[in-house]
Amino acid sequence: MAEEELHSIRIHLDRILAERDMTLTELSAQVGITVVNLSVLKNGRAKAIRFSTLSRICDVLQCQPGDLITHDPAGLA
């Protein structure tokens, strides 16, 4: 199995969901994306995200992309 590629992008979907008192299942239903795919994103295992998906998530959560995604170069291990 290939070693997982390291990156310094952090996803804060769990924090935003907690702030909105919303579950991943509720977000999935409102955004139209499977819980599995949202879970991959939430857990930082996603390799990419489409702008259309990011837009729908931001619309539902009433946030900006920068609220969900940050760059943390010190986080590389």
Side-chain angles (χ1 to χ4, degrees), residues 22-65:
M22 181 181 283
T23 67
L24 206 59
T25 302
E26 291 169 330
L27 181 63
S28 170
Q30 292 185 41
V31 172
I33 299 169
T34 67
V35 174
V36 172
N37 284 338
L38 282 176
S39 181
V40 167
L41 178 63
K42 181 178 107 102
N43 293 318
R45 294 188 319 263
K47 301 220 184 271
I49 184 169
R50 291 182 179 178
F51 285 154
S52 59
T53 300
L54 183 59
S55 293
R56 290 194 311 263
I57 291 171
C58 287
D59 287 343
V60 170
L61 295 177
Q62 297 180 346
C63 67
Q64 294 296 312

Side-chain angles (χ1 to χ4, degrees), residues 6-10 71-77:
L6 296 178
H7 63 82
S8 56
I9 300 300
R10 302 293 166 245
H71 178 245
D72 179 18
L76 277 176

